[in-house]
Amino acid sequence: MVVNADDFFKAAELDKPRDTMASKVGSNVTLINVMKIPGLNTLGISLARIDYAPLGENPPHTHPRATEILTVLEGKLYVGFVTSNPNQLFTKELNKGDVFVFPEGLIHFQFNPDYHKPAVAIAALSSQNPGVITIANAVFGSKPPISDDVLAKAFQVEKGTIDWLQAQFWENNHY
Amino acid sequence: MVVNADDFFKAAELDKPRDTMASKVGSNVTLINVMKIPGLNTLGISLARIDYAPLGENPPHTHPRATEILTVLEGKLYVGFVTSNPNQLFTKELNKGDVFVFPEGLIHFQFNPDYHKPAVAIAALSSQNPGVITIANAVFGSKPPISDDVLAKAFQVEKGTIDWLQAQFWENNHY
Amino acid sequence: MVVNADDFFKAAELDKPRDTMASKVGSNVTLINVMKIPGLNTLGISLARIDYAPLGENPPHTHPRATEILTVLEGKLYVGFVTSNPNQLFTKELNKGDVFVFPEGLIHFQFNPDYHKPAVAIAALSSQNPGVITIANAVFGSKPPISDDVLAKAFQVEKGTIDWLQAQFWENNHY
Amino acid sequence: MVVNADDFFKAAELDKPRDTMASKVGSNVTLINVMKIPGLNTLGISLARIDYAPLGENPPHTHPRATEILTVLEGKLYVGFVTSNPNQLFTKELNKGDVFVFPEGLIHFQFNPDYHKPAVAIAALSSQNPGVITIANAVFGSKPPISDDVLAKAFQVEKGTIDWLQAQFWENNHY
Amino acid sequence: MVVNADDFFKAAELDKPRDTMASKVGSNVTLINVMKIPGLNTLGISLARIDYAPLGENPPHTHPRATEILTVLEGKLYVGFVTSNPNQLFTKELNKGDVFVFPEGLIHFQFNPDYHKPAVAIAALSSQNPGVITIANAVFGSKPPISDDVLAKAFQVEKGTIDWLQAQFWENNHY
Amino acid sequence: MVVNADDFFKAAELDKPRDTMASKVGSNVTLINVMKIPGLNTLGISLARIDYAPLGENPPHTHPRATEILTVLEGKLYVGFVTSNPNQLFTKELNKGDVFVFPEGLIHFQFNPDYHKPAVAIAALSSQNPGVITIANAVFGSKPPISDDVLAKAFQVEKGTIDWLQAQFWENNHY
């Protein structure tokens, strides 16, 4: 196999605002990983642009194989992560140019608190294939669904509530 | 510092059934990690016993820094994990002596489907400090709580539902 | 290749006592590694059950690519490992439920000191393919044999003693 | 030590254009690494903003402990890296939103080909302490200087040329 | 702490023949590891010189944390290693300038087959602290000794033979 | 694939002096890496012999994926490396048997200061495929050449000087 510069390149259009209005959570993640740039293989890094609608959020999720470092390009973000046992929440309000770190495997989120203005962030991840697990989607929207017995007990609610949740449409905000 | 055999030892009483009835989820995890055996430092492994009440479960959780391999000592378990994007659920019914693997960072659970008999498992984790994030607890029981704006949108429910969930007691089944 | 739950599963029958009487050393190791569960690939962990006859032992051996953590399920074990230069021996008597660690690459053993009762242990290893080198077998039972000149000098015995040792049957207690 | 959200945060002002006119090479790198965010320790990632004057460049350099992934925020960049033995040059013209990868340890550069407009990039690095070795500076501007005998032979020039180069001011474009 | 060139240097006298006649096995290993060069810390490599008397050997041993690559400077060597389960022996006769690899954790040896001439080798190891376990010494010469019950069964000999072996002087050929 | 002893062996003739006179820099590096010994794959080490003519040098270079540890077999060497930002030079004069370490990714060189006698070194590298980037060759001798605009600004010289340098023959001293 002959390698050339295109193996290390993606015309990624990370400069273009993505549509966030069609998304229920009001955000849109464009991840450039090893599936898009084959030259990243074994190199342990990837890059993403995240667009947030006014009051939009990148909902609680984890990256099973990566730490994330993020900077705000436009707007403001309220961000946080929860430590593993015990479950302490660390949060921060970020302005343009601020930087925040979400350690590997921890549940984290970003929320745009502005009623009118969108926000944009660039995030880097310490794996060429970091993976993403959006918590609500993985728990209530997996195919096939997780047993409602298991979820009712875990979330301390009636099985009917779980069934209602599992009947919703759990769309993915990662592209 | 002089090292001796006790640095590699824990009188762990992993043979004793733990109380699972006082737990809302009906399970009890005893983890032997580097905090309990200092000689594990840098060695990348730890060991746990898990007790399950009849119909008890180890609810959906992740280990941010470890893969888990589990075998059933007593009873039966219905186990599963959800892959990262897309969210496919893989499940299996395990009998005594069966072995199952939960890859690093993925959401997984074990459930004892028997109405009358307890179950017991031994699990090993590929880190001396694997961490544990019980999903419902980290999302609804963190200190301080995550903003109900963030959670209402993520879980597609009313803020009142989130507030009710956050008011519950989210106990930890890991000791 | 489509992956499914069976790639992470082994009906391992780790609950069944193995025959230890046919073994000269009186032990029997059942290892569940990546050759038996393909989904373990790159995940860095494996699991084993070890059965010990009365006065049986898992003789001095090393795992070239793994640390081991062990707990006793039934009976008692006298266990130990030898540090690398200088060669200090660390030992411990383990009862049911106790946990002990054998650091990566060090020579270690387990011995059932009871005259009448068998013992059982579960051990986890920090590699999906830890390997095992039973010292006596590798030294005196390799195919082809190591030169008796080399071994006579290493063990400070006559070549005739080495030849006698090499003529024995060095069976493997790992399956 | 009590950890809090500030240990994972830097009010980095990565949104502010940096002065590139005072720099001979016409660029300015602002790196957010573990010295600025202590929570990055062991997490294997860092983030940088790079400003380029018109016709400015981030001159040939290496990161001894990291791969770099870069996206253009403003303007255009002509970028390249040289493979290790044999020394093949891979180059690409990047527009806003494009992404390019510079593999660990390889000599690479970015050049703003525009006569009038500045350029801006965000780059992520696969180490919390990637290091930077600006080739010309390390070779001709080290303290103390490298022997001119060594450099004259390596660069196939007269010692007087080396002496002249070593007498220049080799400023650092990283802050 | 201020670091300087001496932290990366050892006046090791690796050029001087070491005394091999006082050694029962007829060899002498001089290892330059992180205890001798502090700058090696975290860098994953070390270097050794090995002197062999005529008919001398570096007896069967393992490095628990390193692969070894060796070249012969003077004389000839008959070398080998035993694979982990099954125990296959790989051997080679090496002449001056030949190179051989002993994979991590495997039992290996070098023997000088010449009746009159010494041999010399340089070996590199893939750890700043590779460790060494000379098999006969660790098994029969540990402090305190391993139980003769354990060793008699492992080596298929009488306990009296083990006792006799343990009474020998097991000197270390590493300095 | 059946593996045998030859997969771990190279009749490398590392004992033979290499021709250094035909080389402009007066040195010759013979590297035994995974391309020459397939059994080195994943094992993280390689070995090299370096010959130096009187006043010859192994010119400033880096290994993008390895630390190097070197010992002098014959003659004397003046060696050094430059730290990453700031660019401090660490040097040492080495005599026969001395050992020196060049940390991963840093620019380093070896020079034989003797007017009449050759020098010889053995070096080990902490990768089975360490790579080598000879600075002058990679900067001025890449195929295709780096833009002279980029290099003129980086090296603070006229473009004509760069063009002259790029027109030289940049031979590789690694074989």
Side-chain angles (χ1 to χ4, degrees):
Chain A
M1 187 182 68
V2 176
V3 175
N4 63 42
D6 286 329
D7 294 311
F8 299 88
F9 169 74
K10 182 79 176 71
E13 307 191 2
L14 285 194
D15 59 316
K16 305 280 189 313
R18 289 295 186 293
D19 176 26
T20 56
M21 290 310 184
S23 154
K24 290 184 182 179
V25 292
S27 69
N28 191 318
V29 180
T30 309
L31 174 64
I32 308 301
N33 63 12
V34 70
M35 273 73 91
K36 297 185 182 165
I37 299 186
L40 277 174
N41 201 15
T42 78
L43 295 183
I45 201 161
S46 53
L47 196 67
R49 173 195 171 107
I50 316 174
D51 285 276
Y52 309 84
L55 300 181
E57 72 185 52
N58 190 6
H61 64 287
T62 70
H63 303 292
R65 294 176 293 274
T67 289
E68 177 176 345
I69 186 168
L70 173 149
T71 191
V72 179
L73 292 190
E74 296 295 335
K76 296 188 173 191
L77 288 177
Y78 169 75
V79 304
F81 67 83
V82 181
T83 62
S84 79
N85 228 334
N87 295 132
Q88 192 174 351
L89 176 68
F90 286 1
T91 59
K92 203 78 188 178
E93 280 205 36
L94 304 184
N95 293 301
K96 274 181 65 173
D98 288 352
V99 176
F100 200 78
V101 173
F102 306 101
E104 181 163 342
L106 300 189
I107 295 178
H108 60 289
F109 63 87
Q110 302 107 29
F111 174 70
N112 175 8
D114 197 282
Y115 282 73
H116 304 294
K117 295 180 188 161
V120 182
I122 292 283
L125 297 119
S126 64
S127 167
Q128 67 269 14
N129 185 18
V132 61
I133 301 170
T134 302
I135 298 298
N137 299 26
V139 170
F140 298 116
S142 70
K143 308 256 180 265
I146 297 176
S147 150
D148 54 5
D149 281 321
V150 168
L151 292 181
K153 185 166 281 189
F155 285 87
Q156 305 193 41
V157 294
E158 302 294 319
K159 284 172 62 171
T161 305
I162 297 295
D163 297 342
W164 182 88
L165 282 162
Q166 291 183 328
Q168 304 309 303
F169 176 62
W170 297 96
E171 71 180 344
N172 183 354
N173 72 330
H174 282 70
Y175 298 95
Chain B
M1 185 182 68
V2 177
V3 174
N4 61 43
D6 286 329
D7 293 312
F8 299 88
F9 170 72
K10 182 79 176 72
E13 307 191 2
L14 284 193
D15 58 317
K16 306 277 189 315
R18 288 297 186 292
D19 177 27
T20 56
M21 291 310 185
S23 154
K24 289 183 183 180
V25 292
S27 69
N28 191 319
V29 181
T30 308
L31 173 64
I32 308 301
N33 64 9
V34 70
M35 272 73 93
K36 296 185 181 165
I37 299 187
L40 277 174
N41 202 16
T42 78
L43 295 182
I45 201 161
S46 52
L47 197 67
R49 173 196 171 105
I50 315 174
D51 285 276
Y52 309 84
L55 300 181
E57 72 184 52
N58 190 8
H61 64 285
T62 70
H63 304 291
R65 294 176 293 274
T67 289
E68 178 176 344
I69 186 168
L70 173 149
T71 191
V72 179
L73 293 189
E74 297 295 334
K76 296 188 175 192
L77 288 177
Y78 169 75
V79 305
F81 66 83
V82 182
T83 62
S84 79
N85 226 338
N87 295 132
Q88 193 175 352
L89 176 68
F90 286 2
T91 60
K92 202 80 188 176
E93 281 205 37
L94 304 184
N95 293 300
K96 274 181 66 172
D98 287 352
V99 176
F100 200 77
V101 173
F102 307 101
E104 181 162 343
L106 301 190
I107 296 179
H108 60 289
F109 62 86
Q110 302 107 30
F111 174 71
N112 175 7
D114 197 283
Y115 281 72
H116 304 293
K117 295 180 187 161
V120 182
I122 292 283
L125 297 120
S126 66
S127 166
Q128 67 269 13
N129 184 18
V132 61
I133 301 170
T134 302
I135 298 299
N137 299 25
V139 170
F140 298 116
S142 71
K143 309 258 180 263
I146 297 176
S147 152
D148 54 5
D149 281 321
V150 168
L151 293 181
K153 184 165 283 189
F155 286 86
Q156 304 193 44
V157 294
E158 301 295 318
K159 284 172 62 171
T161 305
I162 298 295
D163 297 343
W164 182 88
L165 281 162
Q166 291 184 327
Q168 304 309 304
F169 176 62
W170 296 97
E171 70 179 346
N172 183 354
N173 72 331
H174 281 71
Y175 298 94
Chain C
M1 185 181 68
V2 177
V3 174
N4 62 42
D6 286 329
D7 294 311
F8 299 88
F9 170 73
K10 181 80 177 73
E13 307 191 3
L14 286 194
D15 58 316
K16 305 276 190 314
R18 288 296 186 293
D19 177 26
T20 56
M21 291 310 184
S23 154
K24 289 184 184 180
V25 292
S27 70
N28 191 319
V29 180
T30 308
L31 173 65
I32 308 301
N33 63 11
V34 71
M35 271 75 92
K36 297 186 181 164
I37 299 186
L40 277 174
N41 201 15
T42 77
L43 295 181
I45 200 160
S46 53
L47 197 67
R49 172 196 171 106
I50 316 173
D51 286 276
Y52 308 85
L55 300 182
E57 73 184 52
N58 190 6
H61 64 286
T62 70
H63 303 292
R65 294 176 293 274
T67 288
E68 178 176 344
I69 186 168
L70 172 148
T71 192
V72 178
L73 292 189
E74 296 296 333
K76 296 188 174 191
L77 288 177
Y78 168 74
V79 304
F81 67 82
V82 181
T83 62
S84 79
N85 227 337
N87 295 132
Q88 192 175 352
L89 176 68
F90 287 0
T91 60
K92 203 78 188 176
E93 280 205 37
L94 303 184
N95 293 301
K96 274 181 63 172
D98 288 352
V99 176
F100 200 78
V101 173
F102 306 101
E104 181 163 341
L106 300 190
I107 296 179
H108 60 289
F109 62 86
Q110 302 108 29
F111 173 72
N112 176 8
D114 197 283
Y115 281 73
H116 304 294
K117 296 180 187 162
V120 182
I122 291 284
L125 298 120
S126 64
S127 167
Q128 68 269 13
N129 185 16
V132 61
I133 301 169
T134 302
I135 298 299
N137 299 25
V139 170
F140 298 116
S142 70
K143 308 259 179 265
I146 297 176
S147 149
D148 54 6
D149 281 321
V150 167
L151 292 180
K153 184 167 283 190
F155 286 86
Q156 305 192 42
V157 294
E158 302 293 320
K159 285 172 62 171
T161 305
I162 297 296
D163 297 343
W164 182 87
L165 282 162
Q166 292 183 328
Q168 305 309 304
F169 176 62
W170 296 96
E171 72 180 345
N172 183 353
N173 73 329
H174 282 70
Y175 299 94
Chain D
M1 186 181 69
V2 177
V3 174
N4 62 43
D6 287 330
D7 293 312
F8 299 89
F9 170 71
K10 183 78 177 74
E13 307 191 1
L14 286 193
D15 58 316
K16 306 276 189 314
R18 290 296 186 293
D19 177 27
T20 56
M21 291 310 185
S23 154
K24 289 183 183 179
V25 291
S27 69
N28 190 320
V29 181
T30 309
L31 173 65
I32 309 300
N33 63 10
V34 71
M35 272 74 93
K36 296 186 182 166
I37 299 186
L40 277 174
N41 202 17
T42 77
L43 295 182
I45 200 162
S46 53
L47 198 66
R49 173 197 171 105
I50 316 174
D51 286 275
Y52 310 83
L55 300 182
E57 72 184 53
N58 190 8
H61 64 286
T62 70
H63 304 291
R65 293 176 294 275
T67 289
E68 178 176 344
I69 185 169
L70 172 148
T71 191
V72 178
L73 293 190
E74 298 295 335
K76 297 188 174 190
L77 288 177
Y78 169 75
V79 305
F81 67 83
V82 182
T83 62
S84 78
N85 226 337
N87 296 132
Q88 192 174 352
L89 176 69
F90 286 2
T91 60
K92 203 79 187 176
E93 280 206 38
L94 304 184
N95 294 300
K96 273 182 66 173
D98 287 352
V99 176
F100 200 77
V101 173
F102 306 102
E104 182 163 341
L106 300 191
I107 295 178
H108 60 289
F109 62 87
Q110 301 107 30
F111 173 71
N112 175 6
D114 198 283
Y115 281 74
H116 304 293
K117 296 180 188 161
V120 182
I122 292 284
L125 298 120
S126 65
S127 166
Q128 67 269 13
N129 185 17
V132 61
I133 301 170
T134 303
I135 299 299
N137 299 25
V139 170
F140 297 116
S142 70
K143 308 259 180 262
I146 297 176
S147 151
D148 54 5
D149 280 322
V150 167
L151 293 180
K153 184 166 283 189
F155 286 86
Q156 305 193 43
V157 294
E158 301 294 319
K159 285 172 64 171
T161 305
I162 298 295
D163 297 343
W164 182 87
L165 282 163
Q166 291 183 328
Q168 303 310 303
F169 176 63
W170 296 97
E171 72 180 345
N172 183 353
N173 73 329
H174 282 69
Y175 298 93
Chain E
M1 186 181 69
V2 176
V3 174
N4 62 42
D6 287 330
D7 293 312
F8 299 88
F9 170 72
K10 182 80 176 71
E13 306 191 3
L14 286 194
D15 58 316
K16 305 278 190 313
R18 288 297 185 294
D19 177 26
T20 56
M21 291 310 184
S23 154
K24 290 184 183 180
V25 292
S27 69
N28 191 319
V29 181
T30 308
L31 174 64
I32 308 301
N33 64 10
V34 70
M35 272 74 93
K36 296 186 182 166
I37 298 186
L40 277 174
N41 202 16
T42 79
L43 295 182
I45 201 162
S46 53
L47 197 68
R49 174 197 170 106
I50 315 174
D51 286 276
Y52 308 84
L55 300 181
E57 72 185 53
N58 190 7
H61 64 285
T62 71
H63 303 292
R65 294 177 293 275
T67 289
E68 178 176 343
I69 186 168
L70 172 148
T71 191
V72 178
L73 293 190
E74 297 295 334
K76 296 187 174 191
L77 288 177
Y78 169 75
V79 304
F81 67 82
V82 182
T83 62
S84 79
N85 227 338
N87 295 133
Q88 192 174 352
L89 176 69
F90 286 1
T91 59
K92 202 80 187 176
E93 281 205 36
L94 304 184
N95 293 301
K96 274 181 67 172
D98 289 351
V99 176
F100 200 77
V101 173
F102 307 100
E104 180 163 342
L106 300 190
I107 296 179
H108 60 288
F109 63 86
Q110 301 106 30
F111 174 71
N112 175 7
D114 197 282
Y115 282 73
H116 303 293
K117 294 182 188 160
V120 182
I122 291 284
L125 298 119
S126 65
S127 167
Q128 68 269 14
N129 185 18
V132 62
I133 301 170
T134 302
I135 299 299
N137 298 26
V139 170
F140 297 116
S142 70
K143 307 261 180 264
I146 297 176
S147 151
D148 54 6
D149 281 322
V150 168
L151 293 181
K153 184 166 284 190
F155 285 87
Q156 304 193 43
V157 294
E158 301 295 319
K159 284 172 63 171
T161 305
I162 297 296
D163 297 343
W164 182 87
L165 281 162
Q166 291 183 328
Q168 303 310 302
F169 176 63
W170 296 97
E171 71 181 344
N172 184 353
N173 72 330
H174 282 69
Y175 299 93
Chain F
M1 185 182 69
V2 176
V3 175
N4 61 42
D6 286 330
D7 293 312
F8 298 89
F9 170 73
K10 182 78 175 72
E13 307 192 2
L14 286 194
D15 58 315
K16 305 278 189 313
R18 289 296 185 293
D19 177 27
T20 57
M21 291 310 184
S23 155
K24 288 185 183 180
V25 292
S27 69
N28 192 319
V29 180
T30 308
L31 174 64
I32 308 301
N33 64 10
V34 70
M35 271 74 91
K36 296 185 183 166
I37 299 187
L40 277 173
N41 202 16
T42 79
L43 295 182
I45 201 160
S46 52
L47 197 67
R49 173 196 170 107
I50 315 173
D51 286 276
Y52 308 85
L55 299 182
E57 73 185 50
N58 189 7
H61 64 287
T62 70
H63 304 291
R65 293 176 294 273
T67 289
E68 177 176 345
I69 186 168
L70 172 150
T71 191
V72 178
L73 292 190
E74 297 296 333
K76 297 187 174 192
L77 288 176
Y78 169 76
V79 304
F81 67 82
V82 181
T83 62
S84 78
N85 225 337
N87 295 132
Q88 193 175 351
L89 175 68
F90 287 1
T91 59
K92 203 78 186 176
E93 281 205 36
L94 304 184
N95 293 300
K96 274 181 66 173
D98 288 351
V99 176
F100 200 78
V101 173
F102 306 101
E104 181 163 342
L106 301 190
I107 295 178
H108 60 289
F109 62 87
Q110 301 108 29
F111 174 71
N112 175 7
D114 198 282
Y115 281 74
H116 304 293
K117 296 179 188 163
V120 182
I122 292 283
L125 298 119
S126 64
S127 166
Q128 67 269 15
N129 185 17
V132 61
I133 302 169
T134 302
I135 299 299
N137 298 25
V139 170
F140 297 116
S142 70
K143 308 257 179 266
I146 298 175
S147 149
D148 55 4
D149 281 321
V150 168
L151 292 180
K153 185 166 282 189
F155 286 87
Q156 305 193 43
V157 295
E158 301 294 319
K159 285 172 62 172
T161 305
I162 298 296
D163 297 343
W164 183 87
L165 282 162
Q166 291 182 328
Q168 304 309 304
F169 176 61
W170 297 96
E171 72 181 344
N172 183 353
N173 72 329
H174 282 69
Y175 298 93

